[in-house]
């Protein structure tokens, strides 16, 4: 929840690589290197990308998602189990009760490689997370700004320029005489999954 886009991408790549790593009954582990993660992410090789991975790894470690001893050469990363039922309530300006987050978003491995650019992973994951069985959750730009960790205007640009989510509707409420908050969904079809 409190991770940035790079941290989410590194975490997903660690989860993918743990399939060939070591497993124990409590936590999963994998052996990796910073250059290997850079390559898996499709980022250009070099100091800048290595630094992005190292910052993301350290951020995930500080937030309790993973553990490791060092990022020198080959190192072992322990991927901690997460509580599926843990709730997080984030205070926001636009809602009196705050926004409640709980559970996880199911994202197919086959889709992940299409989400490695810009903030596509976060956009896709949040739109999928907010998709409900009975209706589509409406997401305002203030909420996108919270999720993307940026200003509202910047969130507007990121969302509108995205190729991984699309606007479903933003009708007009005749009672309030205001435009309704926009609904979003993933633009990736099951064929791409």
């Amino acid at each position: 929840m409190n991770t940035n886009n790079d941290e989410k991408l590194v975490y997903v790549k660690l989860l993918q690589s743990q399939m060939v790593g070591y497993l124990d009954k409590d936590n999963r582990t994998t052996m990796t290197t910073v250059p290997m993660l850079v390559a898996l992410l499709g980022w250009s090789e070099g100091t800048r990308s290595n630094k992005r991975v190292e910052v993301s790894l350290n951020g995930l470690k500080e937030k309790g998602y993973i553990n490791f001893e060092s990022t020198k050469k080959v190192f072992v990363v322990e991927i901690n189990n997460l509580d599926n039922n843990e709730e997080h309530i984030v205070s926001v300006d636009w809602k009196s009760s705050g926004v409640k987050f709980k559970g996880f978003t199911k994202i197919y491995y086959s889709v992940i490689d299409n989400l490695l650019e810009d903030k596509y992973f976060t956009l896709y994951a949040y739109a999928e997370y907010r998709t409900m069985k009975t209706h589509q959750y409406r997401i305002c730009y203030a909420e996108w700004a919270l999720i993307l960790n940026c200003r509202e205007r910047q969130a507007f640009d990121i969302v509108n320029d995205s190729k991984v989510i699309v606007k479903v509707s933003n009708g007009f409420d005749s009672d309030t005489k205001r435009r309704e908050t926009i609904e979003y969904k993933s633009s990736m079809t099951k064929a791409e999954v």
Side-chain angles (χ1 to χ4, degrees), residues 80-91:
N80 298 331
N81 283 332
L82 301 175
D83 182 0
N84 228 359
N85 297 315
E86 185 176 354
E87 287 186 8
H88 298 275
I89 298 176
V90 178
S91 298

Side-chain angles (χ1 to χ4, degrees), residues 36-85:
M36 181 187 301
L37 287 170
V38 168
L40 289 172
L41 290 161
W43 295 348
S44 60
E45 293 180 20
T47 307
R48 186 173 181 271
S49 293
N50 288 353
K51 185 69 175 170
R52 278 176 71 185
V53 167
E54 288 174 12
V55 167
S56 296
L57 286 167
N58 287 319
L60 289 167
K61 183 177 181 179
E62 287 170 16
K63 294 168 185 168
Y65 292 103
I66 62 173
N67 289 311
F68 59 89
E69 292 303 315
S70 168
T71 57
K72 304 291 182 213
K73 304 270 183 195
V74 176
F75 60 100
V76 175
V77 177
E78 180 181 314
I79 304 166
N80 298 331
N81 283 332
L82 301 175
D83 182 0
N84 228 359
N85 297 315

Side-chain angles (χ1 to χ4, degrees), residues 7-134:
E7 290 170 341
K8 287 179 185 77
L9 290 172
V10 169
Y11 186 78
V12 165
K13 288 303 179 179
L14 288 171
L15 285 175
Q16 280 182 314
S17 68
Q18 68 90 32
M19 292 189 300
V20 294
Y22 303 107
L23 262 53
D24 69 29
K25 65 182 172 108
D26 296 320
N27 290 304
R28 298 159 299 204
T29 58
T30 187
M31 293 177 68
T32 192
T33 66
V34 170
M36 181 187 301
L37 287 170
V38 168
L40 289 172
L41 290 161
W43 295 348
S44 60
E45 293 180 20
T47 307
R48 186 173 181 271
S49 293
N50 288 353
K51 185 69 175 170
R52 278 176 71 185
V53 167
E54 288 174 12
V55 167
S56 296
L57 286 167
N58 287 319
L60 289 167
K61 183 177 181 179
E62 287 170 16
K63 294 168 185 168
Y65 292 103
I66 62 173
N67 289 311
F68 59 89
E69 292 303 315
S70 168
T71 57
K72 304 291 182 213
K73 304 270 183 195
V74 176
F75 60 100
V76 175
V77 177
E78 180 181 314
I79 304 166
N80 298 331
N81 283 332
L82 301 175
D83 182 0
N84 228 359
N85 297 315
E86 185 176 354
E87 287 186 8
H88 298 275
I89 298 176
V90 178
S91 298
V92 291
D93 296 342
W94 71 91
K95 193 174 175 187
S96 61
S97 61
V99 178
K100 180 170 49 170
F101 298 96
K102 178 181 177 183
F104 294 94
T105 304
K106 183 177 184 178
I107 299 177
Y108 294 96
Y109 282 126
S110 58
V111 173
I112 292 170
D113 289 338
N114 295 320
L115 304 173
L116 299 178
E117 293 180 38
D118 303 319
K119 297 195 179 207
Y120 289 171
F121 188 85
T122 298
L123 292 170
Y124 177 87
Y126 197 68
E128 286 291 306
Y129 175 73
R130 286 299 190 198
T131 299
M132 300 179 183
K133 291 179 182 174
T134 57

